[in-house]
Amino acid sequence: MLGIVRQKVGAKCINSSVKQSLPRTLDAARRFSSAAKQMTVRDALNSALDEEMSADPKVFLMGEEVGEYQGAYKITKGLLDKYGPERVRDTPITEAGFTGIGVGAAYYGLRPVVEFMTFNFSMQAIDHIINSAAKSNYMSAGQISVPIVFRGPNGAAAGVGAQHSQCYAAWYGSCPGLKVLAPYSAEDARGLLKAAIRDPDPVVFLENELLYGESFPISAEVLDSSFCLPIGKAKIELEGKDVTITAFSKMVGSALQAAEILSKEGISAEVINLRSIRPLDRDTINRSVRKTNRLVTVEEGYPQHGVGAEICASVIEESFGYLDAPVERIAGADVPMPYAANLERMAVPQVEDIVRAAKRACYRSVPKSATA
């Protein structure tokens, strides 16, 4: 225990010098963001596909309505006209069929990008994704690479019922051989999709339908055609000292809103955008928890065997001595998604849920006995 105290003291000495320069850094970031170009997540994905197809003739797209209809969500808009039907291939409604074709094409050195209209439909093709794409490199002793991307909207949208509202981050994140990415912002979408297409291994790319039309500030560096983000590296969206909040995809926005509310009550939250589900950036998470001594995980998926559960296990294994409060998990309700709008809202994590969890972790919530 004394060793941990020493580590804390040393860490605080280091952090004090960092904090002195932090206000200047934040001011510069605010000035930059106010002048930065805005880009929607939809346009970020479209531009990433366009540039990677232009740079590498082995990259091609396939899926339902990706060509003539220009994508169910217009992610592939304009690409059929530019690259032709050989590289932007409309498929029948048969996920098992076109996913198998994509994996076979990757075996032969092409770089397919397979679009699922929703990741719920990927269940029709899960044998190809897990047993063919994810395992072939290992089972061939490294002789076969499978450079393929499976992309599309994941998680809850609005009013689409139980069969179309599932989050597959934990499903695919549990499978060795896959890389699993979940972008939040336009920068995430552009940089991670480019990295996924260039990667020699199969990548599951989990987007969010409700984020497609959201605009984010984007820098000239991100707009450069050579830009890509490292797979397996999280981003600290907001620095703080009292509690760590981890989130991915749409929940990053909710975590940032919660952090703003908490700041007005004197709680400084550090928000981590995971970006990568597998590999998971355990180092960044544990460094943050060792600084804040508290953890709240946020995800839309089910709580049992979820991404948050894995993060909690990692922190317990590596940073247990630094925790000053029990870890808090915020997740979707452990039920099939209701169709009714009022029940759907109750089944999906809300900003107020995150705020309450952070307050509990900081021992700032009102005891239940006081409200009885």
Side-chain angles (χ1 to χ4, degrees), residues 252-264:
V252 176
S254 298
L256 289 169
Q257 290 179 53
E260 184 176 356
I261 294 170
L262 290 166
S263 69
K264 296 174 183 176

Side-chain angles (χ1 to χ4, degrees), residues 193-211:
L193 184 54
K194 281 174 162 285
I197 294 171
R198 298 174 191 179
D199 199 88
D201 297 315
V203 179
V204 172
F205 197 85
L206 303 172
E207 301 156 12
N208 186 282
E209 177 186 340
L210 299 179
L211 286 176

Side-chain angles (χ1 to χ4, degrees), residues 297-345:
T297 70
V298 186
E299 62 186 309
E300 280 191 340
Y302 301 128
Q304 186 160 325
H305 311 306
V307 174
E310 178 65 23
I311 291 171
C312 291
S314 174
V315 168
I316 293 298
E317 290 166 357
E318 299 179 40
S319 304
F320 179 75
Y322 291 85
L323 289 171
D324 287 345
V327 295
E328 295 275 352
R329 281 195 298 154
I330 301 298
D334 199 18
V335 296
M337 180 66 72
Y339 178 72
N342 59 329
L343 297 178
E344 182 183 61
R345 188 181 189 280

Side-chain angles (χ1 to χ4, degrees), residues 78-108:
L79 299 182
L80 175 63
D81 291 340
K82 186 170 183 178
Y83 297 103
E86 287 294 309
R87 296 184 65 195
V88 183
R89 306 190 71 93
D90 279 319
T91 67
I93 303 174
T94 170
E95 284 79 11
F98 65 73
T99 303
I101 290 170
V103 173
Y107 283 170
Y108 279 87

Side-chain angles (χ1 to χ4, degrees), residues 152-168:
N154 170 69
V160 293
Q163 294 174 325
H164 293 173
S165 300
Q166 297 169 110
C167 175
Y168 287 86

Side-chain angles (χ1 to χ4, degrees), residues 167-311:
C167 175
Y168 287 86
W171 289 53
Y172 289 118
S174 68
C175 182
L178 290 178
K179 294 175 181 175
V180 182
L181 307 178
Y184 161 62
S185 65
E187 176 183 322
D188 292 356
R190 183 171 159 80
L192 290 174
L193 184 54
K194 281 174 162 285
I197 294 171
R198 298 174 191 179
D199 199 88
D201 297 315
V203 179
V204 172
F205 197 85
L206 303 172
E207 301 156 12
N208 186 282
E209 177 186 340
L210 299 179
L211 286 176
Y212 285 147
E214 292 291 319
S215 293
F216 293 87
I218 199 163
S219 67
E221 177 192 3
V222 175
L223 292 172
D224 190 277
S225 60
S226 63
F227 174 78
C228 75
L229 289 170
I231 292 175
K233 185 64 179 172
K235 178 186 179 184
I236 298 178
E237 294 281 351
L238 180 68
E239 293 200 18
K241 60 183 178 61
D242 294 328
V243 59
T244 296
I245 304 175
T246 65
F248 60 93
S249 190
K250 184 174 178 289
M251 287 293 102
V252 176
S254 298
L256 289 169
Q257 290 179 53
E260 184 176 356
I261 294 170
L262 290 166
S263 69
K264 296 174 183 176
E265 302 190 29
I267 297 175
S268 172
E270 181 148 294
V271 177
I272 298 178
N273 172 5
L274 296 177
R275 284 181 168 170
S276 179
I277 306 301
R278 186 183 186 101
L280 186 65
D281 189 355
R282 301 170 193 273
D283 288 344
T284 294
I285 296 167
N286 277 280
R287 275 199 306 271
S288 178
V289 170
R290 291 173 187 180
K291 177 177 69 172
T292 67
N293 311 118
R294 296 170 178 85
L295 172 67
V296 177
T297 70
V298 186
E299 62 186 309
E300 280 191 340
Y302 301 128
Q304 186 160 325
H305 311 306
V307 174
E310 178 65 23
I311 291 171

